Amino acid sequence: MNYTAAFEKSVAHFQEMSLAEIEKFSGYPVQGNQIKLNFLGQHFRVEYPSAKFEPEPQVEGELPIFARILILHYLCNQTEKSLTGQYISYKELPGGGIYNQPFSNRAIRPMVEHFGGNPEKLLKAAQPIGGTPVKLGDVAVTLNVFPKIPVTLVLWQADEEFPASGNILFDRSASELLPTEDYAVLASFVVMALKKYSG
């Protein structure tokens, strides 16, 4: 994927929005010409209309371009739809069935490989970035990656018959907020962040 072209397109869309619309639909506060946001434990100010990302406090290196694209896509959503509280899997998103295997390879398999042998480690890794335990599988945690986009990671421990397994779930309203392909990128980024926090 050409991330540079995708970033430029997402910046152009961002610049078509007004600050009032961004604040209304995203759930993030606007101060002056900046949107203040928390993304998986990292705090940023996004300047409008330049789409310049300023980390708080300053950290080494930039936020990866695909993460900046995701954030801009979310800031440009124009839905007032509320969370339903109902879980769906990736394959239930529009067109998700076609890409379910790549999604699994990109996000679910790395999660299971890293946390499957010790599911409690998932809960500990999620804690510093606001993860909340939920009653699914053997261990599950929900991260509010964006105000309107919770991501729920579920693990089942291995037993005598089956190896460890897992799933990554979204709210039924997910397709109203981001395109399906963004959820594959988002889920893999969440798993990478959790692996980092797990030490």
Side-chain angles (χ1 to χ4, degrees), residues 6 70 100 103 137 152 154:
L70 272 177
N100 194 53
F103 172 79
T152 299
V154 188

Side-chain angles (χ1 to χ4, degrees), residues 79 81 88 92-94 149 170-180 183:
T79 181
K81 193 163 183 178
I88 60 168
E92 293 173 86
L93 290 167
I149 300 185
F170 308 97
D171 188 80
R172 189 165 289 282
S173 63
S175 62
E176 305 281 334
L177 294 147
L178 291 174
T180 297
Y183 286 102

Side-chain angles (χ1 to χ4, degrees), residues 14-15 20 26 38 55-56 71 73 75 100 108 111-112 126 131 139 155 183 190-191 197:
F14 176 72
Q15 291 168 341
S26 74
N38 174 356
E56 296 182 321
I71 291 168
H73 283 180
L75 292 176
N100 194 53
I108 296 174
M111 175 186 71
V112 173
V139 167
L155 282 172
Y183 286 102
V190 167
V191 172
Y197 279 100

Side-chain angles (χ1 to χ4, degrees), residues 12-185:
H13 191 190
F14 176 72
Q15 291 168 341
E16 291 169 2
M17 300 280 289
S18 70
L19 276 171
E21 287 175 317
I22 291 168
E23 186 169 40
K24 176 183 177 182
F25 295 117
S26 74
Y28 284 122
V30 170
Q31 293 182 355
N33 70 328
Q34 295 179 328
I35 302 109
K36 300 195 74 166
L37 57 91
N38 174 356
F39 182 68
L40 294 172
Q42 291 181 271
H43 296 268
F44 293 90
R45 288 174 285 122
V46 183
E47 192 176 87
Y48 178 90
S50 68
K52 185 180 178 185
F53 283 70
E54 292 285 349
E56 296 182 321
Q58 293 292 326
V59 292
E60 287 184 25
E62 278 190 309
L63 190 66
I65 190 168
F66 59 82
R68 284 180 278 150
I69 292 167
L70 272 177
I71 291 168
L72 290 175
H73 283 180
Y74 176 77
L75 292 176
C76 293
N77 93 80
Q78 295 186 54
T79 181
E80 295 187 72
K81 193 163 183 178
S82 301
L83 292 169
T84 66
Q86 299 175 316
Y87 297 109
I88 60 168
S89 64
Y90 185 80
K91 66 183 178 184
E92 293 173 86
L93 290 167
I98 301 167
Y99 300 105
N100 194 53
Q101 193 57 50
F103 172 79
S104 183
N105 291 338
R106 187 174 186 173
I108 296 174
R109 191 171 70 183
M111 175 186 71
V112 173
E113 286 175 352
H114 191 82
F115 295 105
N118 183 4
E120 293 299 322
K121 203 163 111 177
L122 176 65
L123 298 180
K124 288 177 184 173
Q127 212 167 20
I129 49 177
T132 306
V134 291
K135 292 183 177 180
L136 291 171
D138 289 323
V139 167
V141 64
T142 295
L143 290 163
N144 290 312
V145 183
F146 296 115
K148 295 181 181 178
I149 300 185
V151 177
T152 299
L153 300 95
V154 188
L155 282 172
W156 288 270
Q157 284 183 296
D159 59 26
E160 292 176 2
E161 293 183 52
F162 300 103
S165 62
N167 206 350
I168 296 176
L169 306 174
F170 308 97
D171 188 80
R172 189 165 289 282
S173 63
S175 62
E176 305 281 334
L177 294 147
L178 291 174
T180 297
E181 55 267 29
D182 277 5
Y183 286 102
V185 178

